[in-house]
Amino acid sequence: MHFRHADLEITADNWIHSGVLLLNASYEALTEIRAERAVVLLITGAAEPVTEREPHFAIRSKHVEIGLPETIRLLRYVYLEHSLLVTDGSRATLPAVLRRDNYRCGYCTDWARTVDHIRPRSRGGPNTWDNLIAACGRCNSHKADRTPEEAGMRLLWEPKAPRDMEKRQRRIWKELAAS
């Protein structure tokens, strides 16, 4: 998962939707969670901050002020029997696809609030990472129940399952080795 928008400034209105990387007690990357959940984990003492978001963004209540974290670590180890490998053919959700594509239309790069099935659902198109792409309303309506080729549209990138968690884990281990 990837909640953050590369060109979106954190504000009082949107910080709650930003993503925070959740590490196990062993510093193993588990997943990315919403900032509101991360704040709850920090305040209840279930987690500790590892890195704070830059630039600093303060989250305040009547009695508490904390910096918006970029990464937090659980204080108790969570045992996971196995981790599911996410592949291009794995099932994807609308919010996850929008985050993967940074809320940019895969046909024109405008702001996207919908997801398009490259091979239409009416033709058996699945809800998988390689068949879903973020789309603005105009492009999604224009394409309708056709393939991009039939609609005379070109995909600007090939949709794939996100691999950012693997990259983040390598970065975490590298930073731990250097400290």
Side-chain angles (χ1 to χ4, degrees):
M1 291 187 180
H2 189 63
F3 290 90
R4 285 173 282 157
H5 311 285
D7 55 354
L8 190 63
E9 182 181 340
I10 301 289
T11 66
D13 295 327
N14 69 12
W15 73 267
I16 205 164
H17 300 294
S18 64
V20 176
L21 180 62
L22 177 65
L23 306 179
N24 212 336
S26 62
Y27 289 91
E28 176 186 8
L30 294 176
T31 189
E32 194 166 52
I33 60 176
R34 288 173 59 122
E36 66 179 327
R37 178 70 181 137
V39 169
V40 170
L41 290 171
L42 291 172
I43 291 173
T44 61
E48 66 181 2
V50 175
T51 57
E52 197 172 295
R53 184 94 27 151
E54 292 295 332
H56 176 78
F57 183 84
I59 301 168
R60 297 179 182 92
S61 73
K62 185 174 181 180
H63 303 286
V64 178
E65 179 178 321
I66 64 171
L68 179 62
E70 183 171 336
T71 306
I72 64 172
R73 182 178 74 96
L74 294 173
L75 296 178
R76 296 183 72 176
Y77 183 80
V78 175
Y79 176 75
L80 301 174
E81 280 192 36
H82 61 84
S83 60
L84 295 175
L85 180 63
V86 177
T87 65
D88 295 339
S90 297
R91 185 168 171 77
T93 63
L94 180 136
V97 171
L98 290 172
R99 286 188 300 272
R100 177 200 64 192
D101 295 344
N102 204 24
Y103 293 80
R104 296 293 172 213
C105 177
Y107 299 107
C108 71
T109 72
D110 281 349
W111 184 255
R113 290 193 175 153
T114 64
V115 170
D116 178 57
H117 287 78
I118 297 165
R119 187 175 84 203
R121 286 179 63 190
S122 62
R123 300 186 192 179
N127 291 329
T128 57
W129 289 107
D130 61 353
N131 191 53
L132 296 173
I133 192 126
C136 67
R138 190 180 77 244
C139 287
N140 205 351
S141 294
H142 175 74
K143 183 179 162 288
D145 239 10
R146 302 176 288 177
T147 66
E149 296 79 22
E150 291 169 346
M153 301 170 76
R154 185 176 66 86
L155 283 171
L156 299 177
W157 59 84
E158 183 181 353
K160 296 205 171 275
R163 305 272 191 259
D164 61 318
M165 197 60 69
E166 297 164 10
K167 292 177 189 172
R168 286 178 161 196
Q169 185 64 63
R170 285 193 297 274
R171 187 189 80 214
I172 291 165
W173 289 120
K174 187 176 180 179
E175 289 172 4
L176 286 172
S179 57

